[in-house]
Amino acid sequence: MISKISLQKLALILLVSVLFLTCRQEKETPQLTDNVRRIDGPYVFYEGTDTKVVGVNSSNQITKTDYSGELNVIVPEQMPEQFSLKLMNSIENPSSQYKKSDNIFVVSDIEGNYYSFAKLLIGNGITDAKLNWAFGDGDLVLVGDFVDRGEFVTQVLWLVYKLEMEAKEHGGQVHMIIGNHEAMLLEGDWRYTRLKYRELANALGIDIRELYGVSTELGRWLRSKNMIEKIGDILFVHGGISNTLLDKQLNLDEINRIAQENYGADLDNNNLEIANLLFGRYGPLWYRGLVKSYKDYYPKVNSEDIDRILSYYQAKNIVIGHCVVNDISTDFNGKVVRVDVEHPVTSDDKMESRALLIKDGGFYRMDDQGNKTKLN
């Protein structure tokens, strides 16, 4: 028969054991489940005066270190497999308009596809084989949707971030234009993301939107970006300009300012008419009418609509992504240039990546080997 004192001792032993195990678990590095692709990040978080770098290593463990002046980005089983960069000294909002450029390379809708993005950049001399800027004073225009769906979203964003700094050092420019998927990411709408990103947020004990929150470097950087830009007499926007938006008579600076003020905001429960328009079905992120009719909401625009858009913004062409087309192509006698195409994810895919080159006033379809075909 067990005495009362023995029971008390047993209970005490069990309590100490539980506390001991709990303490051990808190000190151990969290490990992600096996359905998460190894190696992710880095994610840079600002905690008071500290800058913390969080990532997932090759052992599938979460790491957390202090920023040491350089970030190393690893992309497993890709070429090149890694690159390094330093954080920007400050993040500034880009201009809405830029002077004419005789060398513009345009890519759209990469969606975390590091394989095709790197291959396009290297194959067309935008970077060297180690992904260092090699485009001189040229302009690299990224027309939205570089996040979601793919396995290497974080790495793709850091590559753009790195090239942005390097381009400026050589008199060039990287134009990262926000698409609907970047906006969704900042809003916390992660329907199209890989499971590994959700698993990481859960393991860190944070809401998934905090991976790109206002206390992170990538979150701050993305929130500085424009929704629409103009280089010379060419407009660049992810989705397009609708008649509904055009009727508001907003200039480019106004569109971008309102967008930047509302990235990540709850736009379902407010009375912000213009902000809701910009982020809604008829806004620059989601509008599809320059390419096709969309369900019962609106028909495809006509030539008069295109002329009205270009006239108001004093432009000759508008370059868009968002709607997948069979190849880099034009419409409305070359006034609309469509650049959202399917990209291969691995070398086993039987397709080639495509991009747009605007050089000395000519428009060219480029493949990932640098081969050039003039558009009609």
Side-chain angles (χ1 to χ4, degrees):
M1 184 174 181
I2 301 175
S3 66
K4 184 176 181 180
I5 294 176
S6 298
L7 287 172
Q8 289 175 338
K9 287 182 178 180
L10 180 60
L12 181 61
I13 291 170
L14 288 172
L15 177 61
V16 170
S17 298
V18 169
L19 289 173
F20 175 73
L21 288 172
T22 301
C23 291
R24 284 196 62 190
Q25 289 171 354
E26 288 175 351
K27 291 181 179 180
E28 289 177 350
T29 304
Q31 189 162 15
L32 300 181
T33 55
D34 290 337
N35 60 358
V36 179
R37 178 68 172 262
R38 293 181 178 183
I39 304 181
D40 187 30
Y43 298 86
V44 176
F45 292 86
Y46 295 105
E47 301 175 358
T49 58
D50 297 329
T51 303
K52 299 294 184 181
V53 180
V54 175
V56 181
N57 64 22
S58 58
S59 298
N60 230 21
Q61 293 179 318
I62 296 174
T63 61
K64 187 173 183 180
T65 60
D66 293 322
Y67 176 61
S68 61
E70 187 173 76
L71 297 177
N72 189 37
V73 181
I74 299 176
V75 200
E77 302 172 16
Q78 300 293 305
M79 291 297 291
E81 196 170 33
Q82 63 180 355
F83 57 88
S84 298
L85 67 138
K86 298 180 185 298
L87 295 180
M88 296 178 180
N89 293 326
S90 62
I91 295 174
E92 300 178 357
N93 292 353
S95 299
S96 298
Q97 301 187 59
Y98 294 84
K99 66 180 182 179
K100 180 181 177 181
S101 172
D102 292 325
N103 218 5
I104 304 173
F105 192 77
V106 188
V107 185
S108 178
D109 295 76
I110 286 294
E111 297 178 341
N113 182 349
Y114 178 89
Y115 169 79
S116 277
F117 188 37
K119 196 169 183 182
L120 277 170
L121 295 174
I122 295 170
N124 285 278
I126 310 304
T127 72
D128 63 20
K130 295 183 179 180
L131 293 176
N132 299 306
W133 181 260
F135 201 39
D137 61 358
D139 291 78
L140 173 62
V141 182
L142 310 175
V143 197
D145 281 7
F146 276 66
V147 304
D148 278 352
R149 290 195 173 96
E151 290 190 70
F152 303 114
V153 169
T154 319
Q155 292 93 331
V156 164
L157 289 177
W158 281 124
L159 178 54
V160 176
Y161 180 104
K162 174 180 105 78
L163 293 177
E164 182 178 308
M165 288 190 290
E166 294 176 354
K168 290 180 180 178
E169 294 173 359
H170 294 84
Q173 189 78 31
V174 173
H175 307 259
M176 176 67 176
I177 295 172
I178 294 294
N180 60 296
H181 281 277
E182 281 84 16
M184 291 168 68
L185 180 150
L186 296 175
E187 292 166 8
D189 185 343
W190 290 67
R191 282 176 292 168
Y192 297 97
T193 60
R194 296 279 179 135
L195 179 61
K196 72 173 189 175
Y197 301 109
R198 305 177 197 181
E199 290 275 356
L200 175 59
N202 290 337
L204 292 172
I206 62 175
D207 186 286
I208 192 164
R209 74 179 63 194
E210 293 181 53
L211 291 177
Y212 294 93
V214 294
S215 295
T216 70
E217 181 71 4
L218 286 177
R220 293 177 181 181
W221 176 70
L222 284 171
R223 284 171 172 80
S224 74
K225 299 308 176 190
N226 287 330
M227 198 177 270
I228 183 170
E229 289 187 9
K230 182 181 173 186
I231 302 175
D233 54 11
I234 305 173
L235 281 174
F236 297 88
V237 63
H238 179 64
I241 303 295
S242 67
N243 286 321
T244 304
L245 176 57
L246 193 60
D247 287 341
K248 299 299 180 182
Q249 300 287 284
L250 298 171
N251 62 41
L252 301 182
D253 286 335
E254 290 171 327
I255 290 173
N256 289 325
R257 176 184 57 78
I258 296 169
Q260 289 158 3
E261 290 173 353
N262 289 280
Y263 289 138
D266 178 8
L267 295 176
D268 293 326
N269 300 292
N270 62 73
N271 296 313
L272 300 174
E273 177 190 1
I274 300 301
N276 279 285
L277 173 58
L278 292 181
F279 287 88
R281 183 178 294 124
Y282 296 92
L285 303 180
W286 289 94
Y287 186 63
R288 299 180 184 271
L290 272 63
V291 177
K292 62 183 182 180
S293 299
Y294 184 63
K295 299 182 179 179
D296 294 327
Y297 295 118
Y298 48 78
K300 180 179 177 179
V301 297
N302 56 42
S303 57
E304 289 77 15
D305 295 324
I306 294 297
D307 289 342
R308 183 168 170 246
I309 292 168
L310 296 177
S311 175
Y312 180 75
Y313 289 108
Q314 299 180 1
K316 291 183 178 179
N317 310 89
I318 181 168
V319 178
I320 58 173
H322 191 45
C323 291
V324 180
V325 290
N326 291 331
D327 209 339
I328 305 292
S329 54
T330 65
D331 200 358
F332 298 100
N333 296 316
K335 294 174 184 177
V336 175
V337 187
R338 306 169 298 193
V339 298
D340 180 8
V341 297
E342 296 284 355
H343 298 285
V345 177
T346 71
S347 58
D348 293 330
D349 293 337
K350 302 304 180 184
M351 67 182 81
E352 293 179 335
S353 287
R354 293 285 195 272
L356 171 71
L357 176 67
I358 306 172
K359 188 171 179 64
D360 299 328
F363 289 72
Y364 302 89
R365 178 189 304 114
M366 307 299 298
D367 67 17
D368 51 24
Q369 302 297 315
N371 298 309
K372 181 168 63 174
T373 305
K374 197 173 193 313
L375 296 178
N376 296 328

